């Protein structure tokens, strides 16, 4: 359970770090599952519906950058997403009626792990209100050298521009004051709770140490997804009530919200942001 001052910090600063939330045995067990799930994947031969490989490798390269939706596909991840200890914490932030709605493992392998540009999660999946939290578990010790998460505190009250020529780029396209960034360095087993509008990013992993991260997201049951297209339907396939009651009234707390019109179909944030970087470089 969170102390009142921790709940206050989350609401004021837009994030909170809980050190040692998962014990060593739990971390090792998740890492072992990830090793099993990725053991045979190569660039040339992998299940692209379940995982995404790091680019810039030979066809026999084995470095994976993302596992898609582990809490939908694998029982051990699903059990964590529904665990009492975790939901008790989420309930303190979002109230008693809770939906789980997405998950991923970002691998950031040693020496190769991809950059994640500044973005606000809610811009990818607009909801009728902002009661949604991203939960990020470090499964390896994370610091600036292997691309720990960076956040901009107190910035969760405004939606930043993520568009170019009206199309969603998956990253902030206005100027970001990176001097305000806080590097969230923490040991494996730590859990970061991040408001869905907290701007965040992470550097490429140039170190010899991996930085594996399991990411889950929850929303209040009265934060309904705003439907845009088949992409919204596909995302919603992973949503499920995990505590309390379904709600039949959407709570609407925003006067307006930018709808993400994707420039073309992309597999993930990484691909979308790679396209955006090229587009922005071409403009300068
Ligand atoms: O892996 C990271 O450092 C951050 C990932 C992230 O923000 C995302 O996948 O939406």
């Amino acid at each position: 359970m969170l102390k009142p001052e921790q709940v206050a910090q989350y609401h004021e600063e837009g994030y909170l770090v809980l050190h040692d939330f998962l014990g060593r045995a739990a971390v090792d067990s998740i890492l072992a599952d990830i090793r099993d799930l990725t053991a045979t994947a190569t660039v040339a031969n992998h299940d692209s519906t379940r995982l995404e490989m790091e680019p810039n490798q030979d066809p026999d390269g084995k470095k994976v950058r993302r596992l898609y939706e582990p809490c939908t596909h694998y029982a051990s991840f699903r059990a964590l997403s529904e665990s009492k200890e975790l939901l008790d914490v989420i309930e303190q932030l979002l109230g008693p009626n809770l939906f789980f709605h997405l998950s991923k493992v970002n691998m950031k392998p040693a020496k190769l792990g991809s950059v994640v540009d500044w973005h606000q999660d809610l811009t990818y999946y607009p909801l009728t209100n902002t009661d949604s939290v991203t939960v990020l578990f470090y499964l390896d010790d994370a610091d600036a050298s292997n691309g720990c998460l960076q956040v901009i505190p107190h910035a969760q009250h405004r939606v930043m521009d993520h568009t170019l020529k009206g199309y969603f780029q998956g990253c902030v396209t206005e100027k970001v004051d990176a001097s305000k960034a806080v590097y969230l360095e923490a040991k494996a087993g730590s859990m970061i709770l991040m408001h869905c509008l907290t701007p965040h990013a992470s550097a490429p992993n140039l170190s010899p140490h991996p930085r594996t991260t399991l990411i889950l997201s929850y929303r209040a049951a009265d934060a309904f997804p705003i439907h845009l297209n088949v992409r919204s339907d596909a995302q919603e396939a992973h949503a499920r009530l995990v505590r309390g009651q379904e709600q039949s009234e959407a709570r609407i707390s925003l006067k307006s919200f930018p709808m993400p019109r994707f420039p073309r179909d992309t597999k993930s944030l990484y691909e979308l942001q790679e396209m955006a970087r090229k587009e922005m470089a071409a403009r300068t």
Side-chain angles (χ1 to χ4, degrees):
M1 297 291 279
L2 301 177
K3 299 186 186 120
E5 56 271 27
Q6 291 176 309
V7 176
Q9 189 200 332
Y10 170 84
H11 288 301
E12 276 158 33
E13 298 190 26
Y15 75 98
L16 181 70
V17 182
L18 296 182
H19 297 276
D20 300 320
F21 185 84
L22 296 177
R24 188 69 245 176
V27 170
D28 287 343
S29 158
I30 302 170
L31 285 173
D33 286 345
I34 294 171
R35 266 195 305 279
D36 287 349
L37 292 166
T38 56
T40 59
T42 62
V43 171
N45 187 11
H46 64 275
D47 180 352
S48 61
T49 65
R50 293 288 171 98
L51 51 86
E52 181 174 327
M53 305 301 291
E54 283 285 352
N56 309 320
Q57 301 185 79
D58 293 335
D60 58 355
K62 293 183 64 75
K63 298 214 167 152
V64 176
R65 78 172 162 191
R66 174 169 284 180
L67 275 184
Y68 301 132
E69 302 295 351
C71 296
T72 296
H73 301 306
Y74 314 112
S76 57
F77 291 87
R78 194 182 184 99
L80 174 64
S81 74
E82 294 178 352
S83 68
K84 177 178 180 327
E85 202 187 3
L86 177 53
L87 293 182
D88 284 348
V89 168
I90 307 298
E91 180 170 346
Q92 285 182 278
L93 303 180
L94 301 183
N97 302 308
L98 298 173
F99 263 74
F100 163 91
H101 66 163
L102 67 92
S103 65
K104 55 200 163 190
V105 174
N106 285 355
M107 305 286 282
K108 245 195 228 291
K111 307 265 193 203
L112 201 67
S114 294
V115 64
V116 174
D117 288 321
W118 290 103
H119 65 284
Q120 294 169 302
D121 284 344
L122 195 63
T123 59
Y124 279 78
Y125 43 83
L127 299 170
T128 58
N129 64 62
T130 60
D131 276 341
S132 171
V133 62
T134 300
V135 178
L136 199 141
F137 292 105
Y138 283 152
L139 302 173
D140 294 304
D141 296 350
D143 60 24
S145 76
N146 65 352
C148 70
L149 194 76
Q150 302 167 40
V151 295
I152 301 195
H154 305 287
Q156 73 277 20
H157 303 294
R158 179 173 80 83
V159 185
M160 300 173 84
D161 190 5
H162 288 61
T163 63
L164 280 179
K165 296 184 203 148
Y167 285 102
F168 184 60
Q169 303 296 311
C171 58
V172 177
T173 51
E174 62 182 87
K175 191 164 168 31
V176 175
D177 183 357
S179 69
K180 295 198 172 130
V182 175
Y183 285 71
L184 303 184
E185 299 193 327
K187 298 277 180 211
S190 303
M191 173 168 87
I192 296 165
L193 297 159
M194 193 169 58
H195 185 280
C196 60
L197 282 176
T198 294
H200 57 286
S202 62
N205 183 0
L206 303 178
S207 84
H209 308 293
R211 197 235 57 185
T212 317
T213 312
L214 169 63
I215 300 175
L216 279 54
S217 182
Y218 295 86
R219 64 182 194 233
D222 61 2
F224 281 81
I226 302 174
H227 179 87
L228 177 59
N229 51 28
V230 286
R231 182 178 280 274
S232 333
D233 288 344
Q235 184 57 57
E236 202 48 19
H238 302 281
R240 59 194 145 83
L241 187 76
V242 285
R243 181 167 280 190
Q245 308 295 323
E246 294 215 24
Q247 302 295 297
S248 43
E249 297 240 338
R251 182 165 43 91
I252 300 173
S253 70
L254 294 164
K255 283 213 178 92
S256 68
F257 197 88
M259 294 305 289
R261 294 164 61 224
F262 285 73
R264 71 174 163 85
D265 202 22
T266 47
K267 273 219 277 269
S268 68
L269 161 149
Y270 295 110
E271 280 194 3
L272 184 60
Q273 292 190 345
E274 275 153 18
M275 277 168 49
R277 274 194 293 277
K278 283 188 195 142
E279 173 86 26
M280 287 195 258
R283 296 179 131 218
T284 52

